[in-house]
Amino acid sequence: MKAFAFQFLGFLLLSSIVLSEARVRRANFVVQETSYTRLCSTKKILTVNGLFPGPTLYAETGDTLIVDVQNQGNLNITIHWHGVKQPRNPWTDGPEFITQCPIKPGGRFSQKVILSDEEGTLWWHAHSDWSRATVYGAIVIRPKKGTDYPFPKPDGEVPLILGDWWKSDIEEVLQEFLRTGGDPNSSDALTINGQPGDLYPCSKQDTFKLVVDYGKTYLLRMINAGMNNIFFFGITNHTFTIVGHDAAYAKPFKSDYITIPPGQTLDVLLEANQPPNQYYMAAKVFVGGGAATFDNTTTTAILEYRGNYTASSPLPLPILPSITNSTASQNFSGSLRSLASVAHPIDVPLEITKKFLFTVSMNSVPCNNTVDCTSPNNVRFKASINNITFQAPKIDILEAYFRGINGVYGDNFPQNPPFKFNYTGNIPAALRTPRNGTEVRVLPFNSTVELVYQGTNLLRGIEHPMHLHGYSFYVVGWGLGNFNKDEDPKHYNLVDPPLMNTISVPRNGWTAIRFRADNPGVWLMHCHFERHITWGMEMTFIVRNGKRSEQKILPRPSDMPPC
């Protein structure tokens, strides 16, 4: 097994230029095909700098990163800096055909990643087709010099990235998925830091190992980079203290497991306070009863205490909730609160100027007797927000908005669902067919927004991890069943709601978020299940410029990839 020192997979820092208190840091990302062996077989995957997972970016609060991305791979690529607000700088946010056209093979793009108030753990990943299955890595943002964590400084820290692995080429998995119109093939293994672990064939010798000293405390920077899975994670006989979420600090609370949806990050303190031994770290999926196919395996890593002892054999697995335990998932997520201290205040919008209700739904459309359609009901799966299945344009929306190009998108995304019905009840089949569209919702600068995500039972009720680019938002409420606009807001948490960039909407339930639209630009919002975004569960906000120069979108970079 390979031990792990507390610097993760080699971030190449080329230079640091001090600008007052913040720094400009530079790095090179070379996207390339690299051979990797997992589960007894070898295949080529897309990587950054030959690494899987990719290099960790280290910064301090308020820094700017300049990442020179070179595409030496065989596919178009974009890179997204997940959870970085990118103030006034949508140009290098990364989602394909939203803020840029892809970097073609042989092309390059120098991406400016502007950090503001983020502090904690974020991540970066490909945002084009399904390349993010292997193209991803951590972003570690430490407090700037002269400030401290709002908890005792840990003795060590380590990113723990949860993911998945297919034996097949991921492009073949995607193409088959698109051809058949059904669910994609589930992964062959789950992974921790790129390794499946002891329970999979040909994997034991490379199982990820974290070596700790008894009596010390370690900061685990948890990231769910999985394509289509919410994860439960735990360590045998150990309890966690959760201190952060999505690069914002949390009121500390203890738990013997975590629930983490794709896209989300958690900062977790681990006390090495058990008898010196080896202990399993393990993760498995949470499906909540809604998924048709899923990877029902368990990925493991080893927590190893330093010292002289004979390790237990076999090692017991941690006790995790069952894969359908919605209560456990909701209890964990419902325990997240902002720290809301003097040093780390919050600013929840109280007077709302824009209110939205967005249904997030699974849908179906007729196969039209296509040969490859595999559904027994002769339908293809789709997904929608307010019954609109997003259609990607050929020119990115930001370019069209900036240059005033007509015919690329419409600006009439509905404020509410086009049809009112019992969203979580038995729904007529006629409501399952969405309409296609490339619609945006325009927000005036500095407007205050309340958005309620309403899950539906259309076709298949399932959780939806919703991610908003360009912003963090306050999760002020959630519940099961249909949102009641008169009663449910009475129970909102406006005192210390968690500040997130990705939040899971419960199956057949709702989640309410609030944010101030003070970051001008074009910003994607989508479900972070990759199959759902492929099916069309996404939309875009355009936030207008403010009146002052510091409230306007920054100039367009000269090296934007051509369409």
Side-chain angles (χ1 to χ4, degrees):
M1 297 182 185
K2 295 180 179 179
F4 184 83
F6 295 106
Q7 299 297 317
F8 181 62
L9 292 179
F11 166 51
L12 298 179
L13 182 64
L14 300 186
S15 63
S16 293
I17 306 168
V18 179
L19 294 180
S20 64
E21 294 183 357
R23 290 183 176 181
V24 176
R25 304 171 186 257
R26 300 194 72 101
N28 274 340
F29 272 19
V30 179
V31 179
Q32 59 194 77
E33 285 193 297
T34 309
S35 292
Y36 269 79
T37 301
R38 297 289 186 273
L39 307 180
C40 314
S41 61
T42 299
K43 68 173 184 176
K44 287 188 175 181
I45 63 172
L46 274 184
T47 66
V48 167
N49 298 352
L51 301 173
F52 172 66
T56 296
L57 298 177
Y58 289 94
E60 293 179 0
T61 306
D63 285 352
T64 294
L65 308 176
I66 307 295
V67 185
D68 296 309
V69 181
Q70 304 172 55
N71 186 3
Q72 296 181 6
N74 61 343
L75 297 172
N76 290 343
I77 199 77
T78 68
I79 304 292
H80 168 54
W81 319 96
H82 185 113
V84 178
K85 298 181 184 70
Q86 293 277 38
R88 303 168 54 215
N89 185 42
W91 301 105
T92 57
D93 185 48
E96 185 179 38
F97 295 118
I98 304 298
T99 61
Q100 69 171 87
C101 291
I103 309 168
K104 297 178 175 64
R108 61 191 301 155
F109 183 28
S110 182
Q111 296 193 240
K112 179 181 286 187
V113 184
I114 303 175
L115 301 174
S116 52
D117 60 353
E118 304 92 348
E119 195 163 296
T121 306
L122 294 174
W123 65 303
W124 57 266
H125 61 81
H127 213 302
S128 46
D129 289 332
W130 281 27
S131 298
R132 82 168 181 87
T134 56
V135 179
Y136 60 79
I139 305 175
V140 172
I141 309 167
R142 296 178 173 131
K144 60 185 177 183
K145 286 181 173 58
T147 63
D148 297 310
Y149 296 111
F151 47 81
K153 185 177 179 179
D155 298 292
E157 59 182 69
V158 57
L160 287 183
I161 307 181
L162 308 180
D164 29 39
W165 181 269
W166 280 261
K167 288 184 178 180
S168 301
D169 182 273
I170 195 65
E171 184 69 13
E172 294 175 1
V173 176
L174 171 61
Q175 293 306 317
E176 181 179 4
F177 161 65
L178 293 174
R179 185 173 62 252
T180 64
D183 274 309
N185 291 333
S186 58
S187 57
D188 296 292
L190 309 176
T191 59
I192 298 176
N193 285 351
Q195 294 292 347
D198 288 7
L199 306 184
Y200 297 90
C202 305
S203 301
K204 186 178 180 67
Q205 70 279 7
D206 293 315
T207 296
F208 176 79
K209 182 189 291 186
L210 173 60
V211 179
V212 299
D213 292 307
Y214 178 83
K216 293 187 176 181
T217 299
Y218 299 86
L219 177 60
L220 307 182
R221 297 183 177 274
M222 304 294 307
I223 300 167
N224 184 350
M227 294 286 279
N228 294 302
N229 294 313
I230 300 171
F231 286 110
F232 287 128
F233 173 84
I235 302 178
T236 306
N237 293 351
H238 289 74
T239 298
F240 305 124
T241 302
I242 290 78
V243 294
H245 39 60
D246 285 357
Y249 291 117
K251 278 188 170 64
F253 71 96
K254 293 186 178 297
S255 179
D256 56 8
Y257 69 96
I258 69 168
T259 307
I260 184 167
Q264 201 175 89
T265 68
L266 293 169
D267 289 322
V268 177
L269 294 179
L270 171 70
E271 293 182 53
N273 57 8
Q274 295 301 300
N277 203 339
Q278 290 185 344
Y279 297 87
Y280 264 142
M281 301 186 275
K284 67 178 184 180
V285 304
F286 160 66
V287 298
T293 61
F294 59 93
D295 186 339
N296 190 18
T297 61
T298 299
T299 179
T300 59
I302 301 293
L303 181 73
E304 178 178 283
Y305 281 73
R306 208 183 309 272
N308 295 318
Y309 56 85
T310 300
S312 300
S313 182
L315 299 181
L317 288 168
I319 299 173
L320 295 175
S322 69
I323 59 174
T324 58
N325 192 335
S326 298
T327 300
S329 175
Q330 292 159 8
N331 284 347
F332 181 87
S333 298
S335 297
L336 299 174
R337 298 282 189 276
S338 284
L339 186 57
S341 66
V342 173
H344 299 279
I346 62 172
D347 184 21
V348 186
L350 300 179
E351 300 295 327
I352 301 300
T353 59
K354 298 291 182 181
K355 286 192 174 183
F356 302 108
L357 179 67
F358 286 1
T359 53
V360 285
S361 304
M362 294 292 301
N363 303 90
S364 62
V365 296
C367 281
N368 295 324
N369 297 316
T370 55
V371 174
D372 292 324
C373 187
T374 59
S375 168
N377 298 318
N378 198 38
V379 297
R380 301 177 68 88
F381 291 149
K382 293 289 183 181
S384 66
I385 301 176
N386 274 356
N387 211 46
I388 296 176
T389 293
F390 182 80
Q391 297 293 292
K394 300 301 181 185
I395 301 174
D396 64 275
I397 292 175
L398 176 58
E399 186 81 1
Y401 171 62
F402 184 74
R403 297 191 181 281
I405 302 172
N406 293 324
V408 175
Y409 65 88
D411 60 1
N412 196 31
F413 192 89
Q415 182 172 342
N416 295 291
F419 308 108
K420 289 185 177 181
F421 54 94
N422 179 6
Y423 304 115
T424 58
N426 294 320
I427 300 171
L431 293 176
R432 294 177 183 169
T433 303
R435 73 176 180 91
N436 295 331
T438 309
E439 299 287 342
V440 309
R441 188 75 193 186
V442 178
L443 297 174
F445 181 82
N446 220 30
S447 55
T448 51
V449 178
E450 178 177 305
L451 167 57
V452 178
Y453 298 111
Q454 174 66 64
T456 78
N457 202 32
L458 275 169
L459 192 67
R460 181 189 300 167
I462 190 174
E463 284 75 12
H464 296 289
M466 302 302 297
H467 172 51
L468 175 61
H469 291 223
Y471 288 88
S472 291
F473 49 75
Y474 292 100
V475 182
V476 297
W478 66 275
L480 302 178
N482 298 327
F483 176 72
N484 185 314
K485 65 181 180 61
D486 297 316
E487 295 300 320
D488 287 327
K490 296 177 182 178
H491 306 288
Y492 280 175
N493 174 13
L494 302 178
V495 176
D496 59 356
L499 184 64
M500 315 291 290
N501 62 62
T502 306
I503 190 64
S504 190
V505 181
R507 182 184 182 218
N508 288 340
W510 58 271
T511 298
I513 68 171
R514 288 185 176 186
F515 64 95
R516 183 180 298 275
D518 55 2
N519 188 13
V522 173
W523 305 111
L524 178 65
M525 188 188 75
H526 63 93
C527 181
H528 223 277
F529 285 145
E530 207 65 23
R531 67 189 189 277
H532 289 185
I533 192 172
T534 302
W535 285 330
M537 191 178 287
E538 56 183 308
M539 60 82 63
T540 300
F541 285 109
I542 293 180
V543 179
R544 296 288 195 193
N545 282 333
K547 295 180 179 179
R548 301 197 299 270
S549 59
E550 69 271 18
Q551 297 172 339
K552 300 181 186 298
I553 296 174
L554 292 172
R556 180 184 186 275
S558 60
D559 63 339
M560 292 292 296
C563 292

